[in-house]
Amino acid sequence: MPEGVLEIDRISKRYGEVVALRDMSFDVRAGELFGFVGSNGAGKTTAMRIALGVLVADSGEVRWNGRTVDLDTRRRIGYMPEERGLYPRMKVLDQLVYLAELHGMSTNEAHTSAENWIARLGLRDRRTDEVQRLSLGNQQRVQLAAALVHEPDVLVLDEPFSGLDPVAVDVMSQVLREKASAGVPVVFSSHQLDLVERLCDRVGIVSAGSMVASGTVDELRSSGEARLVVESPTTEWAATLGGVRVIERNGTRCVLELADGVDDQAVLHAALAAGPVHEFSRQRPSLTELFRNVVTIEGRSA
Amino acid sequence: MTSARAVSLVAKREFVTKVRTRSFLIGTAVIIAVLAGYVVLQSVLFDDQQHSVVGLSGQATQLTDPLRDKAKAFGIEVETRDVTTAGDAEQQVRDGSLDALVTGAPPELKMIVKDSGNEVLATALNDVLRQQVLTAKLAEAGIKPQEVAESLANARVAVTALEPVDPQRGQRLAIGLIVAALLYYSLLVYGTMVAQGVVEEKSSRVVEILLATLRPWQLLLGKVIGLGAVGLLQLLVISTVGLGLSSAFDVIDVGTLGGTALLTGVLWYLLGFFLYATVFAAAASLVSRQEELQSVLTPISMTIIVAFVAGINLMIGSPSGTTVTVLSMLPPFAPILMPGRMALGVAPAWQVLLAVVLALLAIAAITWLGGKVYANAVLRTGARVKLREALRL
């Protein structure tokens, strides 16, 4: 049973004048699904390619179980690149067997494992077809099988869900969960934030080449300023309280942002003093909102 | 996993995938068919010149035996047929079933041919007639014709050649040209195939997965070895079939000449392929799409084409000339020219050795440089990578 941590430690990468990564750090632990989100060009793909040794970082280091990753440990990683890559004129089975062998399996093991993943991912009828003859969705399944066929100790998947139909999304989610619960650290990037929120144990938000927030979804959501949703006939009272800002008003409903140290009970008292209160709740931002916040803040400072 | 296993896995894939393709099977079959056609044509033409069917009519039939013997002495085979009606026989000459028709009574004979007469046959016939006239006259004069014939046979000039012409020169030249042509074809086709393979991996992005588990040089070496083996297989199949056919049809004396040519051909194929394949691969790694490939390959293909065309002309003209001698030792041209000159038997051992050593040195340098370009450029997709950038990184 693979047990270990994949650590990305302060890696930086420049392309000429452009800084792609700036001291990016995060780790993925055994049995954990780590979601990697960020806008296009934030550096997700670069970070993953560096982890796989396909790119060389200018500084920083990638470690597996505390040791710097080399070619032998890389063979134990399952990788799905953002730009899908398979031999277009090679048959599905041959292709998977070949990739399994390249990752160090014996020919027999490779065959068994390839057949196994072909069956798991519903490609049995297609096993002797050339990859280029498959539908896009099926090509994606083969791509996933290619990342899994050598039973890797770590999974690094770049946008595994893009271009998948809902059924395939379910299959993919299930496989990733299963791998994680078998003790494999799984890191994947995605733009489908609701999916990340539902699936991941921890999430990292990347912007302009650095990790700007990371933690469990709950941690991330409860971070930041506290917000209250209050429904009462008037909202004039709110303006009289120190440290409270009305950020949204919609009929009789308003969203308040509380500065640090402001007691929400004091807010409730003030509201009740002004009139009847029909709703009073704490609002936690969704991952999408968090993401939008982070990205716009970074965008402004950049 | 050892490097050897990694390289052999890549090589095996390249070999198996390529050998299974229809283009390889059809290509090989077509070349063999062309070769077989050529050999058969040669042997038919050869036979045609060596074999004549002559119709003899009337009193001319008494010439049957002497004509056959005389013709044999000239190296051609004459089949004679007695014909009764001259009209029919003329028709047979017209439609080609008779090569010549001889009528009349000695010493005044007529020979009827279709378009142009076979000169050897006419000479043979003249000799036979003269002989008969001579024999008759000698008999009249009371001299024994046999004694005269013996004296005549003994009267001949003894020739000593200072630079004797190799009696096998024609065959050697033919073998040399065929070897050069096969190597030219193999280097160009299989070099291009390596380049296409590199671009296929690059454009399909599979290279990113491969390089997560392989070092660039392992991928490159495996590819070169795998496709090189396919080329070698094809070369061997073609040569074996070619030599077999040639010996079956007696076109060339296969024996030692053909065997040596095959061996040198294989040696130079290997040297040439390793020299050119890495260059092809490095050039291909600079581009991302098959459509862009031609532009980077042209300079390399041109070198091979020039080596072949210029080399062949020089070789036919003066195989030991200074230009061709020097060119045949320089690495870019040696794989095509040297085996040709070796087959011609005009390359001294030191020149061959020097050419091999230079080729090996060039392979070492090219592999190092090409491997570097390939490793630097193969993951950079999009715009064409400038050679200078690929070398600098």
Side-chain angles (χ1 to χ4, degrees), chain A residues 49 52 54 71 74-75 79 81 83-90 94 98 101-103 105 143, chain B residues 1 5-6 9-10 12-14 20 200-201 204-206 208-215 218 379:
Chain A
R49 293 175 89 180
L52 264 297
V54 173
L71 195 66
R74 258 179 220 129
R75 289 221 168 90
Y79 177 45
E83 306 259 16
R84 306 296 183 239
L86 294 166
Y87 284 107
R89 278 190 287 270
M90 207 172 170
D94 294 348
Y98 176 58
E101 286 180 319
L102 280 187
H103 283 86
M105 277 189 161
Q143 196 79 53
Chain B
M1 189 163 61
R5 162 115 171 123
L9 278 173
V10 176
K12 196 181 97 191
R13 191 202 86 87
E14 296 292 341
R20 275 196 206 148
E200 185 196 28
E201 279 171 356
S204 72
R205 314 293 174 118
V206 74
E208 194 164 329
I209 294 189
L210 299 178
L211 289 188
T213 180
L214 291 171
R215 295 189 193 286
Q218 294 171 335
L379 281 169

Side-chain angles (χ1 to χ4, degrees), chain A residues 241-275:
Chain A
L241 292 170
V244 175
R245 201 159 62 86
V246 180
I247 57 169
E248 199 184 312
R249 189 172 281 151
N250 187 4
T252 58
R253 209 161 170 272
C254 65
V255 181
L256 309 175
E257 195 173 83
L258 274 57
D260 271 354
V262 176
D263 182 7
D264 55 357
Q265 295 308 306
V267 179
L268 178 59
H269 281 300
L272 281 169

Side-chain angles (χ1 to χ4, degrees), chain A residues 164-181:
Chain A
L164 290 188
D165 64 48
V167 181
V169 166
D170 287 345
V171 173
M172 175 81 74
S173 315
Q174 202 192 333
V175 170
L176 297 191
R177 271 235 169 286
E178 206 174 279
K179 279 282 150 190
S181 48

Side-chain angles (χ1 to χ4, degrees), chain B residues 44-56 67 76-81 83 88-103 110-122 125:
Chain B
V44 167
L45 287 177
F46 197 62
D47 269 3
D48 245 21
Q49 287 172 352
Q50 311 278 307
H51 184 93
S52 301
V53 184
V54 179
L56 300 167
L67 176 61
I76 63 171
E77 211 168 287
V78 167
E79 189 186 332
T80 53
R81 278 185 204 153
V83 290
D88 277 358
E90 243 184 80
Q91 187 53 42
Q92 283 182 320
V93 172
R94 227 180 276 281
D95 66 28
S97 54
L98 281 181
D99 289 311
L101 171 66
V102 180
T103 57
K110 278 190 204 160
M111 186 160 88
I112 299 169
V113 294
K114 191 179 175 190
D115 34 33
S116 60
N118 184 330
E119 275 179 38
V120 185
L121 185 65
L125 209 51

